[in-house]
Amino acid sequence: MPLNLQQVHHIAIICSNYERSKQFYTELLGLTIIQEIYRENRDSYKLDLALNGNYIIELFSFPDPPKRVSKPEAIGLRHLAFAVSDIAKEVQYLEQLRIAVEPIRIDELTNKKFTFFQDPDGLPLEIYEI
């Protein structure tokens, strides 16, 4: 019998520069801060972030974390995707902030538009038009 999963609780992200990533996820992506904790014994911050009132991301800082292998794509988390209603508008916003965005593509299975960009540590982020 399978587990009785109800929903995704959160996504954990480890960043290399806490202040830069905090600004990116809150000011640029618009996530709201639920709580911010400094864990002195680990020399680490833990920032809980929400999207539309739903707890979604734990942003961690650690001293000297190893680099994430991304290209070629490695086993593990491939990307984090966010739903948007107007992908062209969101791409324009990102480009105004000088964030590199891949060309918009069409999902061959759903005929929906999507594209990718990266957070400050190169984590691939997707916006997907619904």
Side-chain angles (χ1 to χ4, degrees):
M1 179 174 201
L3 292 175
N4 185 21
L5 302 178
Q6 297 174 14
Q7 66 186 34
V8 173
H9 187 265
H10 70 271
I11 299 152
I13 298 172
I14 298 171
C15 62
S16 64
N17 180 311
Y18 179 72
E19 290 302 324
R20 180 181 68 184
S21 291
K22 177 182 174 182
Q23 177 186 17
F24 178 85
Y25 283 95
T26 59
E27 295 178 22
L28 277 67
L29 296 188
L31 301 181
T32 55
I33 297 172
I34 298 171
Q35 73 175 345
E36 181 176 34
I37 300 168
Y38 178 71
R39 303 175 305 171
E40 189 172 344
N41 62 328
R42 300 180 87 177
D43 190 21
S44 169
Y45 279 95
K46 178 181 181 285
L47 183 66
D48 295 333
L49 299 169
L51 176 62
N52 298 322
N54 296 312
Y55 177 51
I56 186 169
I57 291 178
E58 289 180 343
L59 183 66
F60 290 95
S61 69
F62 292 107
D64 302 315
K67 298 276 187 208
R68 178 184 189 274
V69 176
S70 184
K71 293 184 181 181
E73 291 189 26
I75 293 173
L77 178 66
R78 186 170 182 187
H79 62 264
L80 173 58
F82 295 97
V84 298
S85 58
D86 184 343
I87 198 165
K89 178 181 170 186
E90 304 307 335
V91 165
Q92 182 180 23
Y93 170 75
L94 291 168
E95 289 176 339
Q96 286 174 350
L97 297 171
R98 300 190 190 281
I99 295 174
V101 181
E102 293 181 6
I104 295 172
R105 296 184 262 169
I106 304 293
D107 185 317
E108 62 187 39
L109 301 175
T110 65
N111 288 326
K112 301 284 187 175
K113 296 176 185 175
F114 69 99
T115 189
F116 290 91
F117 62 104
Q118 296 180 353
D119 84 346
D121 289 306
L123 176 67
L125 302 174
E126 177 183 5
I127 49 176
Y128 193 94
E129 191 172 85
I130 56 169

mmCIF file with all atom_site columns, all heavy atoms in Angstrom, residues 65-82:
data_model
loop_
_atom_site.group_PDB
_atom_site.id
_atom_site.type_symbol
_atom_site.label_atom_id
_atom_site.label_alt_id
_atom_site.label_comp_id
_atom_site.label_asym_id
_atom_site.label_entity_id
_atom_site.label_seq_id
_atom_site.pdbx_PDB_ins_code
_atom_site.Cartn_x
_atom_site.Cartn_y
_atom_site.Cartn_z
_atom_site.occupancy
_atom_site.B_iso_or_equiv
_atom_site.pdbx_formal_charge
_atom_site.auth_seq_id
_atom_site.auth_comp_id
_atom_site.auth_asym_id
_atom_site.auth_atom_id
_atom_site.pdbx_PDB_model_num
ATOM 1   N N   . PRO A 1 65 ? 29.397 25.522 1.125   1.00 0.00 ? 65 PRO A N   1
ATOM 2   C CA  . PRO A 1 65 ? 28.724 24.351 0.565   1.00 0.00 ? 65 PRO A CA  1
ATOM 3   C C   . PRO A 1 65 ? 29.354 23.978 -0.781  1.00 0.00 ? 65 PRO A C   1
ATOM 4   O O   . PRO A 1 65 ? 29.863 24.852 -1.492  1.00 0.00 ? 65 PRO A O   1
ATOM 5   C CB  . PRO A 1 65 ? 27.280 24.830 0.376   1.00 0.00 ? 65 PRO A CB  1
ATOM 6   C CG  . PRO A 1 65 ? 27.406 26.300 0.177   1.00 0.00 ? 65 PRO A CG  1
ATOM 7   C CD  . PRO A 1 65 ? 28.568 26.723 1.033   1.00 0.00 ? 65 PRO A CD  1
ATOM 8   N N   . PRO A 1 66 ? 29.325 22.709 -1.144  1.00 0.00 ? 66 PRO A N   1
ATOM 9   C CA  . PRO A 1 66 ? 29.890 22.315 -2.441  1.00 0.00 ? 66 PRO A CA  1
ATOM 10  C C   . PRO A 1 66 ? 29.030 22.846 -3.583  1.00 0.00 ? 66 PRO A C   1
ATOM 11  O O   . PRO A 1 66 ? 27.844 23.102 -3.413  1.00 0.00 ? 66 PRO A O   1
ATOM 12  C CB  . PRO A 1 66 ? 29.864 20.785 -2.392  1.00 0.00 ? 66 PRO A CB  1
ATOM 13  C CG  . PRO A 1 66 ? 28.824 20.455 -1.385  1.00 0.00 ? 66 PRO A CG  1
ATOM 14  C CD  . PRO A 1 66 ? 28.799 21.576 -0.395  1.00 0.00 ? 66 PRO A CD  1
ATOM 15  N N   . LYS A 1 67 ? 29.632 23.025 -4.732  1.00 0.00 ? 67 LYS A N   1
ATOM 16  C CA  . LYS A 1 67 ? 28.921 23.490 -5.926  1.00 0.00 ? 67 LYS A CA  1
ATOM 17  C C   . LYS A 1 67 ? 27.943 22.419 -6.393  1.00 0.00 ? 67 LYS A C   1
ATOM 18  O O   . LYS A 1 67 ? 28.181 21.230 -6.226  1.00 0.00 ? 67 LYS A O   1
ATOM 19  C CB  . LYS A 1 67 ? 29.903 23.795 -7.061  1.00 0.00 ? 67 LYS A CB  1
ATOM 20  C CG  . LYS A 1 67 ? 30.876 24.900 -6.738  1.00 0.00 ? 67 LYS A CG  1
ATOM 21  C CD  . LYS A 1 67 ? 30.259 26.237 -7.002  1.00 0.00 ? 67 LYS A CD  1
ATOM 22  C CE  . LYS A 1 67 ? 31.309 27.324 -6.829  1.00 0.00 ? 67 LYS A CE  1
ATOM 23  N NZ  . LYS A 1 67 ? 30.760 28.570 -6.444  1.00 0.00 ? 67 LYS A NZ  1
ATOM 24  N N   . ARG A 1 68 ? 26.846 22.866 -7.018  1.00 0.00 ? 68 ARG A N   1
ATOM 25  C CA  . ARG A 1 68 ? 25.839 21.962 -7.570  1.00 0.00 ? 68 ARG A CA  1
ATOM 26  C C   . ARG A 1 68 ? 26.255 21.597 -8.994  1.00 0.00 ? 68 ARG A C   1
ATOM 27  O O   . ARG A 1 68 ? 26.570 22.473 -9.803  1.00 0.00 ? 68 ARG A O   1
ATOM 28  C CB  . ARG A 1 68 ? 24.483 22.656 -7.611  1.00 0.00 ? 68 ARG A CB  1
ATOM 29  C CG  . ARG A 1 68 ? 23.397 21.808 -8.217  1.00 0.00 ? 68 ARG A CG  1
ATOM 30  C CD  . ARG A 1 68 ? 22.093 22.623 -8.302  1.00 0.00 ? 68 ARG A CD  1
ATOM 31  N NE  . ARG A 1 68 ? 20.981 21.789 -8.673  1.00 0.00 ? 68 ARG A NE  1
ATOM 32  C CZ  . ARG A 1 68 ? 20.655 21.504 -9.929  1.00 0.00 ? 68 ARG A CZ  1
ATOM 33  N NH1 . ARG A 1 68 ? 21.344 21.979 -10.924 1.00 0.00 ? 68 ARG A NH1 1
ATOM 34  N NH2 . ARG A 1 68 ? 19.614 20.735 -10.173 1.00 0.00 ? 68 ARG A NH2 1
ATOM 35  N N   . VAL A 1 69 ? 26.248 20.327 -9.297  1.00 0.00 ? 69 VAL A N   1
ATOM 36  C CA  . VAL A 1 69 ? 26.505 19.880 -10.657 1.00 0.00 ? 69 VAL A CA  1
ATOM 37  C C   . VAL A 1 69 ? 25.235 20.095 -11.450 1.00 0.00 ? 69 VAL A C   1
ATOM 38  O O   . VAL A 1 69 ? 24.167 19.653 -11.051 1.00 0.00 ? 69 VAL A O   1
ATOM 39  C CB  . VAL A 1 69 ? 26.904 18.388 -10.679 1.00 0.00 ? 69 VAL A CB  1
ATOM 40  C CG1 . VAL A 1 69 ? 27.077 17.910 -12.098 1.00 0.00 ? 69 VAL A CG1 1
ATOM 41  C CG2 . VAL A 1 69 ? 28.171 18.170 -9.871  1.00 0.00 ? 69 VAL A CG2 1
ATOM 42  N N   . SER A 1 70 ? 25.312 20.795 -12.571 1.00 0.00 ? 70 SER A N   1
ATOM 43  C CA  . SER A 1 70 ? 24.100 21.097 -13.321 1.00 0.00 ? 70 SER A CA  1
ATOM 44  C C   . SER A 1 70 ? 24.197 20.702 -14.790 1.00 0.00 ? 70 SER A C   1
ATOM 45  O O   . SER A 1 70 ? 23.274 20.138 -15.331 1.00 0.00 ? 70 SER A O   1
ATOM 46  C CB  . SER A 1 70 ? 23.768 22.590 -13.218 1.00 0.00 ? 70 SER A CB  1
ATOM 47  O OG  . SER A 1 70 ? 22.567 22.866 -13.864 1.00 0.00 ? 70 SER A OG  1
ATOM 48  N N   . LYS A 1 71 ? 25.304 21.047 -15.419 1.00 0.00 ? 71 LYS A N   1
ATOM 49  C CA  . LYS A 1 71 ? 25.401 20.765 -16.856 1.00 0.00 ? 71 LYS A CA  1
ATOM 50  C C   . LYS A 1 71 ? 26.653 19.969 -17.123 1.00 0.00 ? 71 LYS A C   1
ATOM 51  O O   . LYS A 1 71 ? 27.717 20.406 -16.721 1.00 0.00 ? 71 LYS A O   1
ATOM 52  C CB  . LYS A 1 71 ? 25.417 22.075 -17.643 1.00 0.00 ? 71 LYS A CB  1
ATOM 53  C CG  . LYS A 1 71 ? 24.091 22.794 -17.539 1.00 0.00 ? 71 LYS A CG  1
ATOM 54  C CD  . LYS A 1 71 ? 24.069 24.031 -18.385 1.00 0.00 ? 71 LYS A CD  1
ATOM 55  C CE  . LYS A 1 71 ? 22.721 24.711 -18.224 1.00 0.00 ? 71 LYS A CE  1
ATOM 56  N NZ  . LYS A 1 71 ? 22.577 25.894 -19.003 1.00 0.00 ? 71 LYS A NZ  1
ATOM 57  N N   . PRO A 1 72 ? 26.612 18.821 -17.724 1.00 0.00 ? 72 PRO A N   1
ATOM 58  C CA  . PRO A 1 72 ? 25.361 18.224 -18.190 1.00 0.00 ? 72 PRO A CA  1
ATOM 59  C C   . PRO A 1 72 ? 24.476 17.859 -17.006 1.00 0.00 ? 72 PRO A C   1
ATOM 60  O O   . PRO A 1 72 ? 24.964 17.703 -15.886 1.00 0.00 ? 72 PRO A O   1
ATOM 61  C CB  . PRO A 1 72 ? 25.814 16.996 -18.952 1.00 0.00 ? 72 PRO A CB  1
ATOM 62  C CG  . PRO A 1 72 ? 27.134 16.643 -18.362 1.00 0.00 ? 72 PRO A CG  1
ATOM 63  C CD  . PRO A 1 72 ? 27.757 17.945 -17.930 1.00 0.00 ? 72 PRO A CD  1
ATOM 64  N N   . GLU A 1 73 ? 23.194 17.715 -17.274 1.00 0.00 ? 73 GLU A N   1
ATOM 65  C CA  . GLU A 1 73 ? 22.254 17.465 -16.186 1.00 0.00 ? 73 GLU A CA  1
ATOM 66  C C   . GLU A 1 73 ? 22.650 16.231 -15.391 1.00 0.00 ? 73 GLU A C   1
ATOM 67  O O   . GLU A 1 73 ? 23.009 15.209 -15.946 1.00 0.00 ? 73 GLU A O   1
ATOM 68  C CB  . GLU A 1 73 ? 20.844 17.321 -16.727 1.00 0.00 ? 73 GLU A CB  1
ATOM 69  C CG  . GLU A 1 73 ? 20.317 18.638 -17.260 1.00 0.00 ? 73 GLU A CG  1
ATOM 70  C CD  . GLU A 1 73 ? 18.852 18.597 -17.601 1.00 0.00 ? 73 GLU A CD  1
ATOM 71  O OE1 . GLU A 1 73 ? 18.120 17.798 -17.017 1.00 0.00 ? 73 GLU A OE1 1
ATOM 72  O OE2 . GLU A 1 73 ? 18.461 19.385 -18.472 1.00 0.00 ? 73 GLU A OE2 1
ATOM 73  N N   . ALA A 1 74 ? 22.593 16.388 -14.076 1.00 0.00 ? 74 ALA A N   1
ATOM 74  C CA  . ALA A 1 74 ? 22.976 15.314 -13.160 1.00 0.00 ? 74 ALA A CA  1
ATOM 75  C C   . ALA A 1 74 ? 21.725 14.696 -12.537 1.00 0.00 ? 74 ALA A C   1
ATOM 76  O O   . ALA A 1 74 ? 20.644 15.276 -12.573 1.00 0.00 ? 74 ALA A O   1
ATOM 77  C CB  . ALA A 1 74 ? 23.879 15.872 -12.063 1.00 0.00 ? 74 ALA A CB  1
ATOM 78  N N   . ILE A 1 75 ? 21.885 13.542 -11.944 1.00 0.00 ? 75 ILE A N   1
ATOM 79  C CA  . ILE A 1 75 ? 20.790 12.896 -11.226 1.00 0.00 ? 75 ILE A CA  1
ATOM 80  C C   . ILE A 1 75 ? 20.389 13.788 -10.060 1.00 0.00 ? 75 ILE A C   1
ATOM 81  O O   . ILE A 1 75 ? 21.221 14.398 -9.409  1.00 0.00 ? 75 ILE A O   1
ATOM 82  C CB  . ILE A 1 75 ? 21.227 11.510 -10.718 1.00 0.00 ? 75 ILE A CB  1
ATOM 83  C CG1 . ILE A 1 75 ? 21.463 10.584 -11.914 1.00 0.00 ? 75 ILE A CG1 1
ATOM 84  C CG2 . ILE A 1 75 ? 20.194 10.918 -9.766  1.00 0.00 ? 75 ILE A CG2 1
ATOM 85  C CD1 . ILE A 1 75 ? 22.061 9.258  -11.520 1.00 0.00 ? 75 ILE A CD1 1
ATOM 86  N N   . GLY A 1 76 ? 19.119 13.886 -9.801  1.00 0.00 ? 76 GLY A N   1
ATOM 87  C CA  . GLY A 1 76 ? 18.629 14.690 -8.686  1.00 0.00 ? 76 GLY A CA  1
ATOM 88  C C   . GLY A 1 76 ? 17.606 15.700 -9.153  1.00 0.00 ? 76 GLY A C   1
ATOM 89  O O   . GLY A 1 76 ? 17.043 15.589 -10.246 1.00 0.00 ? 76 GLY A O   1
ATOM 90  N N   . LEU A 1 77 ? 17.366 16.700 -8.331  1.00 0.00 ? 77 LEU A N   1
ATOM 91  C CA  . LEU A 1 77 ? 16.396 17.740 -8.658  1.00 0.00 ? 77 LEU A CA  1
ATOM 92  C C   . LEU A 1 77 ? 16.774 18.397 -9.980  1.00 0.00 ? 77 LEU A C   1
ATOM 93  O O   . LEU A 1 77 ? 17.895 18.858 -10.157 1.00 0.00 ? 77 LEU A O   1
ATOM 94  C CB  . LEU A 1 77 ? 16.353 18.799 -7.549  1.00 0.00 ? 77 LEU A CB  1
ATOM 95  C CG  . LEU A 1 77 ? 15.408 19.969 -7.785  1.00 0.00 ? 77 LEU A CG  1
ATOM 96  C CD1 . LEU A 1 77 ? 13.955 19.500 -7.782  1.00 0.00 ? 77 LEU A CD1 1
ATOM 97  C CD2 . LEU A 1 77 ? 15.627 21.049 -6.745  1.00 0.00 ? 77 LEU A CD2 1
ATOM 98  N N   . ARG A 1 78 ? 15.850 18.412 -10.908 1.00 0.00 ? 78 ARG A N   1
ATOM 99  C CA  . ARG A 1 78 ? 16.126 18.985 -12.223 1.00 0.00 ? 78 ARG A CA  1
ATOM 100 C C   . ARG A 1 78 ? 15.864 20.483 -12.249 1.00 0.00 ? 78 ARG A C   1
ATOM 101 O O   . ARG A 1 78 ? 16.685 21.250 -12.738 1.00 0.00 ? 78 ARG A O   1
ATOM 102 C CB  . ARG A 1 78 ? 15.281 18.282 -13.270 1.00 0.00 ? 78 ARG A CB  1
ATOM 103 C CG  . ARG A 1 78 ? 15.595 18.708 -14.666 1.00 0.00 ? 78 ARG A CG  1
ATOM 104 C CD  . ARG A 1 78 ? 14.912 17.829 -15.663 1.00 0.00 ? 78 ARG A CD  1
ATOM 105 N NE  . ARG A 1 78 ? 15.278 18.252 -17.009 1.00 0.00 ? 78 ARG A NE  1
ATOM 106 C CZ  . ARG A 1 78 ? 14.745 17.762 -18.083 1.00 0.00 ? 78 ARG A CZ  1
ATOM 107 N NH1 . ARG A 1 78 ? 13.820 16.820 -17.991 1.00 0.00 ? 78 ARG A NH1 1
ATOM 108 N NH2 . ARG A 1 78 ? 15.114 18.190 -19.263 1.00 0.00 ? 78 ARG A NH2 1
ATOM 109 N N   . HIS A 1 79 ? 14.695 20.896 -11.766 1.00 0.00 ? 79 HIS A N   1
ATOM 110 C CA  . HIS A 1 79 ? 14.380 22.321 -11.700 1.00 0.00 ? 79 HIS A CA  1
ATOM 111 C C   . HIS A 1 79 ? 13.168 22.535 -10.806 1.00 0.00 ? 79 HIS A C   1
ATOM 112 O O   . HIS A 1 79 ? 12.482 21.600 -10.433 1.00 0.00 ? 79 HIS A O   1
ATOM 113 C CB  . HIS A 1 79 ? 14.121 22.910 -13.095 1.00 0.00 ? 79 HIS A CB  1
ATOM 114 C CG  . HIS A 1 79 ? 12.959 22.300 -13.817 1.00 0.00 ? 79 HIS A CG  1
ATOM 115 N ND1 . HIS A 1 79 ? 13.107 21.288 -14.725 1.00 0.00 ? 79 HIS A ND1 1
ATOM 116 C CD2 . HIS A 1 79 ? 11.630 22.553 -13.754 1.00 0.00 ? 79 HIS A CD2 1
ATOM 117 C CE1 . HIS A 1 79 ? 11.919 20.945 -15.203 1.00 0.00 ? 79 HIS A CE1 1
ATOM 118 N NE2 . HIS A 1 79 ? 11.001 21.695 -14.620 1.00 0.00 ? 79 HIS A NE2 1
ATOM 119 N N   . LEU A 1 80 ? 12.916 23.803 -10.497 1.00 0.00 ? 80 LEU A N   1
ATOM 120 C CA  . LEU A 1 80 ? 11.764 24.224 -9.719  1.00 0.00 ? 80 LEU A CA  1
ATOM 121 C C   . LEU A 1 80 ? 10.908 25.058 -10.656 1.00 0.00 ? 80 LEU A C   1
ATOM 122 O O   . LEU A 1 80 ? 11.412 25.987 -11.292 1.00 0.00 ? 80 LEU A O   1
ATOM 123 C CB  . LEU A 1 80 ? 12.242 25.050 -8.524  1.00 0.00 ? 80 LEU A CB  1
ATOM 124 C CG  . LEU A 1 80 ? 11.230 25.736 -7.649  1.00 0.00 ? 80 LEU A CG  1
ATOM 125 C CD1 . LEU A 1 80 ? 10.248 24.731 -7.051  1.00 0.00 ? 80 LEU A CD1 1
ATOM 126 C CD2 . LEU A 1 80 ? 11.944 26.494 -6.537  1.00 0.00 ? 80 LEU A CD2 1
ATOM 127 N N   . ALA A 1 81 ? 9.616  24.729 -10.792 1.00 0.00 ? 81 ALA A N   1
ATOM 128 C CA  . ALA A 1 81 ? 8.744  25.416 -11.743 1.00 0.00 ? 81 ALA A CA  1
ATOM 129 C C   . ALA A 1 81 ? 7.654  26.201 -11.019 1.00 0.00 ? 81 ALA A C   1
ATOM 130 O O   . ALA A 1 81 ? 7.088  25.725 -10.034 1.00 0.00 ? 81 ALA A O   1
ATOM 131 C CB  . ALA A 1 81 ? 8.111  24.395 -12.695 1.00 0.00 ? 81 ALA A CB  1
ATOM 132 N N   . PHE A 1 82 ? 7.389  27.401 -11.536 1.00 0.00 ? 82 PHE A N   1
ATOM 133 C CA  . PHE A 1 82 ? 6.330  28.261 -11.017 1.00 0.00 ? 82 PHE A CA  1
ATOM 134 C C   . PHE A 1 82 ? 5.297  28.496 -12.114 1.00 0.00 ? 82 PHE A C   1
ATOM 135 O O   . PHE A 1 82 ? 5.656  28.754 -13.266 1.00 0.00 ? 82 PHE A O   1
ATOM 136 C CB  . PHE A 1 82 ? 6.896  29.615 -10.580 1.00 0.00 ? 82 PHE A CB  1
ATOM 137 C CG  . PHE A 1 82 ? 7.848  29.537 -9.428  1.00 0.00 ? 82 PHE A CG  1
ATOM 138 C CD1 . PHE A 1 82 ? 9.214  29.518 -9.655  1.00 0.00 ? 82 PHE A CD1 1
ATOM 139 C CD2 . PHE A 1 82 ? 7.392  29.479 -8.124  1.00 0.00 ? 82 PHE A CD2 1
ATOM 140 C CE1 . PHE A 1 82 ? 10.118 29.455 -8.597  1.00 0.00 ? 82 PHE A CE1 1
ATOM 141 C CE2 . PHE A 1 82 ? 8.286  29.411 -7.055  1.00 0.00 ? 82 PHE A CE2 1
ATOM 142 C CZ  . PHE A 1 82 ? 9.640  29.394 -7.300  1.00 0.00 ? 82 PHE A CZ  1
#
